[in-house]
C-alpha cells in the first residue's frame, strides 16, 4: 500500500464530531509533519448539514447520506461519532465489511455489541480504535493495552463520568441538593435532558466494561457490572464524609480478589489521602495498580468536544501509520480480550468498609442494640458520631465500620431497618481507595 | 518477515536489566497471549556473569562478551541497559548498523548523543524505543508522541527525579538538613555514591531534553537547559514555603512563552492546589497542557528495577509487533524532532513569582530600603513575614513577590546583598504551577 494520503470519513457531526474536525483542520500541518503524510477529511455525514459548527469545510464534504462514506473506496478510516447502538452498529459493521478501519467514541456500542464488532474486524483484518470511548483525553486504552503489557493488573478504579463528578463536586462545594444541581447542570449543558446514563452509573459501567475486558482478559461483561448511581446522595452524607476525612465520588471499580474480579460502579467514600478524592468538576482520573508498575494515576478531561476529539485523532493517527507501513491488515489489535476464566465476584461476596447513616430515637440502649445486630453479623464499628441530643426524638447516627462482607451488611441492615426505634431507610456507602 | 518468535539480547544485567528479565520470564505466558507470539531472551551480556539476580536462566544465556549479542543474526532487538555514554553509545550504534532494533533506558546517552543515534537508526530503518529513559513506568514518551499527536503542547512540567523528590520529602516530613537525608538515602541505596546527577538536576535535565524535543519539535538541547539542584535547600525554606501554602519540589519545566521556550530544571515553590505539590517520596509526576486536551497529569513510579523494566518491556512489545507485521523497517519513528525554529528563552528573560529569604538587621527603615530596591527593579511584594523581633540583631525576612523578570530579580538581589544591614546570601526560589 503506498498512498500519498489517508482519507477519512466522519459519521456524526455533533459535539465530538465537530471537535475532531476542528483538530484535524486546525492542526493539519503539525499532524502531517509528525506523521510524514497528510490525513484528509474526505466526507462528513450528518442528518443536519445546515447548522454552523464553527469550522470551514470545502464544498461537497458534508453529506446527509451515510452510504456515501461507507461505499467510498477511497476512504480508509470511518470515524463513527453518532453514539448509541442503533444505527451506529450497522454502520460500523458495514464499514468493516467494506474494508474500512473504524475509529469510534461509542462506549455503549462497544460495551454492549463489542464482541460482534471485534469479531467482524478481525475477520476482515481491520483495526478498531476506541481510545475516545473511555475517559476522553486520558489515553487509558493505550496505556492498558500497550504500556502495561508486561503487567498483571491488580486493580483499576476511578472517576470516569464527568457529569456525575461535576454534580457531586457542586453538591460538596455549595451544600445543595442533588436535584437542584442536576437542574443547573442541565441548564448549562453539562448534563443531558435525559441524564439517566450519567447519574445512574450506566455510562461508567459501559466504560468499565471495556476497560476491564482489556485489563483482565475477560469478555465484555456489561450485564455483570453492579451499577449504583448518585441520585440518592445527600449534602448531609457529603458533610459527614468530610467529617470522617472522605470525599464521596462515583467510582468505577475492577479489582482482583482471591481469583475473582470485583466489577462495579457505585458511589464510594474515598479517603483524602487518595489523589482521586481531590479530583473535582468534570475531570476524570483513573488509578491502576499493575504488578510491575505499582500504583499509577492518570488525570485529565474525560469529555468535551476538543479533549475527546484529541483522543479520536490519536486513534486516526495510529491506524494511519499502520496503513502507510502496510501493517494495518497484518497486525491484530493488541490485547483484545480472550476469556481466561476469571469469574466476576457476586456482589454479596465483596468485602469492604462501610459508612452507615441511620435515623434513630435518642434513648438509652439504642446504640447497644444496633451494634449488637451488626456484631452478630461480624460487623464491627470503627468510629461513630451521634449528631445532636434530642431525648426521645429522632437523631442522626453516623458510623464507619471495619471490613465486612456485603451479604452480612445487607442482612444486618434489614434487621436494623425493622427496629421500632429506627425511622426511614438507612444510608449505606462503601469505602474505596487509600494512600497513594 | 515471518518469524515464529522475536529474539532479544539484553546488554547490562544490573538493576533495570534484572527487572526487565524478571518481567519477561515471569509474565512470558501473558505477554505471548497478548502479542500472539513469544518474546525470547536469547542472550544477556554483562561483565559480571556470576552474581545471583534472583532469576533462573537457561544455560548459555549469560555472556560477558557483548559482541555475541551484537553479531548474532537471530537477535532482533538489542536492549541496552548499562547506562552512561561510553561504551553504551558504541554498542547502540553497532546494533543499529548490524540491523537490530534498539530499546534503551539511557537518558544521558539520548540527551547528549541522541542526534547521532536517531540519524543512524533512520538510515538503517531501525526503531529506537526509549520509554524507560524518562519517568520510569509513566508512559510519557508514548503519550507525547502518540496520544497528543493532535495537540500543540503549551507546557510540560513535573517531578522526574525520584531521588531528589525522596530527599525533599524526607526533609519536609522530618525537618532535617539536606546532607543528613542524602547520607541516609545513600545508606538505603536510594541515592548513588556519587549523587551529583540526581541532586544537581542533571538527570532531570537529561530527561527534560528528550521530552522537550518530542513535545515541542526542537532538537535535543541538553546544553541549553538551565539546571539548578536542591543541595542548598534548607528545612527552614521548606517550613516557610508551607507557611505560604507551597511545597518545594525539584521541577523540570518546558513551556512556551511568547514564541520562545522556557527550558529549565530548578527547585520550585509549588502551590498546594497543584497536584504536583502532593507528590511525595520516589514518585514522579508530569503535568501536560495540550491545546486540545487541556491540563492532564500522569503519576507513577519513576525508577526501580521492575517499574522501569515494565517500560522496557512495553517498548520491546511495540517493536516486536512492528517486526511481526513487517512494518518495523517501513515506519519512521513517530514524532522525532525536526528543528522548527523555536528558540530557548534566555534565563534572564523568564518572568515568574519569587520567594526570597533574607537575613537582615531588625531596625526601622530596613524593610523600606529593601522594598525600595525591589521597586526600582519593577518587583513588588505580595506577602511578607518577619520571623521574630530582635532589635538591632539579625532576623529572617521572608517574602513572596508578584511576577517579575529574572534579570530584574538578579540585579535587585545583587544590590540587596551589598547592603550593610543584610548578612549572608539571600535565598531565591521560583514559583511554578497552580490549580489543576
Amino acid at each position: 500500500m503506498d498512498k500519498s494520503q489517508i482519507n477519512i470519513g466522519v459519521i456524526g457531526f455533533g459535539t465530538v464530531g465537530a471537535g475532531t474536525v476542528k483538530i484535524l483542520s486546525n492542526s493539519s500541518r503539525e499532524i502531517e509533519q509528525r506523521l510524514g503524510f497528510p490525513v484528509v477529511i474526505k466526507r462528513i455525514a450528518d442528518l443536519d448539514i445546515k447548522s454552523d459548527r464553527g469550522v470551514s469545510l470545502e464544498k461537497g464534504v458534508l453529506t446527509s447520506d451515510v452510504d456515501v462514506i461507507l461505499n467510498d473506496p477511497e476512504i480508509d478510516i470511518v470515524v463513527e461519532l453518532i453514539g448509541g447502538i442503533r444505527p451506529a452498529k450497522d454502520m460500523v459493521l458495514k464499514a468493516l465489511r467494506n474494508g474500512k478501519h473504524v475509529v469510534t467514541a461509542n462506549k455503549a456500542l462497544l460495551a454492549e455489541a463489542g464482541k460482534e464488532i471485534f469479531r467482524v474486524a478481525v475477520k476482515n483484518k481491520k483495526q478498531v480504535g476506541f481510545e475516545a470511548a473511555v475517559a476522553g483525553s486520558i489515553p487509558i486504552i493505550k496505556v492498558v493495552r500497550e504500556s502495561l503489557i508486561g503487567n498483571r493488573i491488580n486493580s483499576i478504579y476511578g472517576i470516569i463520568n464527568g457529569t456525575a463528578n461535576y454534580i457531586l463536586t457542586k453538591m460538596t462545594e455549595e451544600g445543595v441538593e442533588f436535584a437542584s444541581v442536576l437542574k443547573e447542570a442541565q441548564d448549562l449543558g453539562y448534563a443531558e435532558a435525559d441524564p439517566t446514563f450519567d447519574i445512574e452509573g450506566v455510562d461508567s459501567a459501559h466504560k468499565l466494561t471495556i476497560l476491564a475486558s482489556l485489563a483482565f482478559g475477560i469478555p465484555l461483561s456489561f450485564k455483570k457490572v453492579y451499577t449504583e448511581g448518585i441520585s440518592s446522595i445527600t449534602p448531609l452524607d457529603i458533610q459527614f464524609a468530610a467529617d470522617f476525612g472522605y470525599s464521596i465520588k462515583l467510582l468505577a471499580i475492577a479489582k482482583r480478589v482471591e481469583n475473582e474480579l470485583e466489577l462495579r460502579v457505585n458511589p464510594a467514600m474515598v479517603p483524602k489521602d487518595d489523589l482521586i478524592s481531590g479530583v473535582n468538576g468534570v475531570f476524570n482520573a483513573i488509578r491502576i495498580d499493575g504488578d510491575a508498575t505499582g500504583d499509577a494515576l492518570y488525570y485529565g478531561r474525560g469529555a468535551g468536544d476538543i479533549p475527546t476529539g484529541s483522543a479520536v485523532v490519536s486513534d486516526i493517527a495510529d491506524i494511519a501509520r499502520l496503513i502507510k507501513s502496510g501493517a494495518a491488515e497484518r497486525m491484530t489489535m493488541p490485547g483484545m480480550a480472550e476469556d481466561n476464566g476469571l469469574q466476576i465476584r457476586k456482589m454479596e461476596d465483596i468485602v469492604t468498609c462501610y459508612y452507615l447513616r441511620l435515623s434513630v430515637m435518642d434513648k438509652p440502649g439504642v446504640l447497644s442494640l444496633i451494634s449488637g445486630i451488626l456484631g452478630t453479623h461480624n460487623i464491627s464499628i470503627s468510629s461513630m458520631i451521634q449528631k445532636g441530643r434530642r431525648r426521645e426524638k429522632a437523631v442522626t447516627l453516623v458510623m464507619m465500620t471495619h471490613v465486612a462482607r456485603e451479604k452480612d451488611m445487607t442482612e444486618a441492615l434489614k434487621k436494623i431497618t425493622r427496629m421500632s426505634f429506627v425511622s426511614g431507610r438507612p444510608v449505606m456507602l462503601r469505602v474505596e481507595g487509600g494512600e497513594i
Side-chain angles (χ1 to χ4, degrees), chain A:
Chain A
M1 171 104 38
D2 218 3
K3 302 163 59 86
S4 62
Q5 63 182 44
I6 299 298
N7 295 316
I8 69 165
V10 177
I11 302 175
F13 203 24
T15 308
V16 178
T20 301
V21 170
K22 275 178 200 161
I23 296 174
L24 287 173
S25 306
N26 299 343
S27 306
S28 62
R29 206 173 54 90
E30 288 85 350
I31 293 170
E32 180 173 348
Q33 270 179 357
R34 289 170 185 170
L35 285 177
F37 54 85
V39 170
V40 177
I41 303 169
K42 197 170 174 221
R43 291 280 189 183
I44 302 169
D46 198 286
L47 294 179
D48 168 9
I49 59 170
K50 293 272 165 69
S51 302
D52 181 19
R53 275 87 167 185
V55 265
S56 68
L57 297 170
E58 284 189 43
K59 231 182 135 134
V61 167
L62 266 178
T63 172
S64 56
D65 181 4
V66 72
D67 279 327
V68 168
I69 289 178
L70 297 175
N71 294 327
D72 184 340
E74 290 187 353
I75 286 180
D76 305 290
I77 304 172
V78 168
V79 182
E80 182 276 302
L81 298 172
I82 57 174
I85 295 186
R86 298 281 174 184
K89 182 179 168 185
D90 302 315
M91 294 173 185
V92 164
L93 290 175
K94 185 167 179 186
L96 292 168
R97 292 189 174 117
N98 282 1
K100 291 158 193 348
H101 304 283
V102 168
V103 171
T104 177
N106 193 334
K107 54 261 182 181
L109 176 62
L110 293 178
E112 302 198 29
K115 192 177 171 189
E116 183 177 356
I117 288 166
F118 293 125
R119 192 174 47 71
V120 172
V122 169
K123 192 176 163 209
N124 288 275
K125 297 186 173 173
K126 293 292 164 286
Q127 304 285 324
V128 179
F130 51 97
E131 186 62 78
V134 183
S137 67
I138 303 176
I140 196 67
I141 302 295
K142 188 181 276 284
V143 165
V144 169
R145 292 210 294 187
E146 301 174 22
S147 302
L148 299 181
I149 190 164
N151 284 253
R152 184 176 196 266
I153 293 173
N154 299 314
S155 68
I156 293 191
Y157 68 87
I159 297 167
I160 52 178
N161 182 283
T163 303
N165 202 50
Y166 172 84
I167 291 173
L168 288 174
T169 302
K170 275 275 179 185
M171 288 175 70
T172 305
E173 287 171 353
E174 298 171 9
V176 285
E177 294 292 337
F178 172 81
S180 75
V181 179
L182 173 60
K183 170 131 194 352
E184 189 193 323
Q186 286 171 316
D187 291 345
L188 289 166
Y190 294 166
E192 300 188 43
D194 178 357
T196 315
F197 272 27
D198 290 325
I199 64 175
E200 296 305 345
V202 180
D203 175 76
S204 293
H206 281 144
K207 294 165 178 169
L208 182 66
T209 299
I210 299 168
L211 265 186
S213 175
L214 296 175
F216 298 96
I218 58 168
L220 293 160
S221 310
F222 174 63
K223 286 183 182 148
K224 293 184 182 167
V225 181
Y226 171 83
T227 305
E228 188 184 319
I230 60 165
S231 53
S232 62
I233 301 293
T234 65
L236 192 64
D237 294 306
I238 291 175
Q239 183 53 53
F240 286 133
D243 293 347
F244 282 114
Y246 297 81
S247 299
I248 297 180
K249 297 292 181 189
L250 181 62
L251 293 189
I253 300 164
K255 62 177 168 184
R256 281 185 211 271
V257 182
E258 298 161 358
N259 295 322
E260 289 188 328
L261 187 73
E262 284 187 24
L263 196 60
R264 55 192 167 96
V265 172
N266 61 243
M269 307 265 291
V270 185
K272 295 286 187 195
D273 59 2
D274 187 320
L275 289 174
I276 295 269
S277 78
V279 172
N280 291 322
V282 296
F283 278 89
N284 282 198
I286 299 171
R287 190 169 157 177
I288 306 190
D289 174 21
D291 68 346
T293 57
D295 270 321
L297 182 101
Y298 303 91
Y299 169 98
R301 281 173 208 280
D305 56 346
I306 304 284
T308 308
S310 172
V312 172
V313 169
S314 75
D315 271 345
I316 293 172
D318 279 355
I319 296 175
R321 278 194 195 107
L322 290 179
I323 296 172
K324 280 294 281 189
S325 65
E329 316 220 320
R330 303 204 56 195
M331 193 181 282
T332 46
M333 280 182 286
M336 281 317 302
E338 298 280 325
D339 190 351
N340 62 3
L342 187 63
Q343 293 298 307
I344 310 305
R345 175 158 282 211
K346 283 189 198 131
M347 203 56 196
E348 62 183 39
D349 289 338
I350 77 159
V351 172
T352 186
C353 298
Y354 293 87
Y355 159 96
L356 299 177
R357 175 166 61 83
L358 310 171
S359 182
V360 299
M361 192 72 77
D362 185 5
K363 63 179 183 184
V366 163
L367 183 59
S368 154
L369 282 166
I370 290 172
S371 55
I373 295 173
L374 291 172
T376 57
H377 288 86
N378 304 308
I379 301 163
S380 62
I381 298 168
S382 66
S383 55
M384 201 271 293
I385 302 174
Q386 179 186 313
K387 281 287 166 180
R389 199 70 229 274
R390 305 203 305 162
R391 247 177 223 299
E392 304 293 329
K393 298 234 165 99
V395 289
T396 300
L397 199 61
V398 187
M399 53 187 80
M400 304 289 301
T401 76
H402 289 293
V403 286
R405 185 172 294 266
E406 180 98 358
K407 185 168 193 243
D408 292 331
M409 180 55 79
T410 309
E411 285 173 5
L413 282 182
K414 253 187 229 160
K415 285 189 194 156
I416 288 170
T417 308
R418 280 198 298 262
M419 305 298 282
S420 62
F421 53 81
V422 172
S423 53
R425 285 176 56 86
V427 172
M428 179 202 89
L429 291 167
R430 301 174 192 91
V431 175
E432 194 66 42
E435 193 179 356
I436 193 167

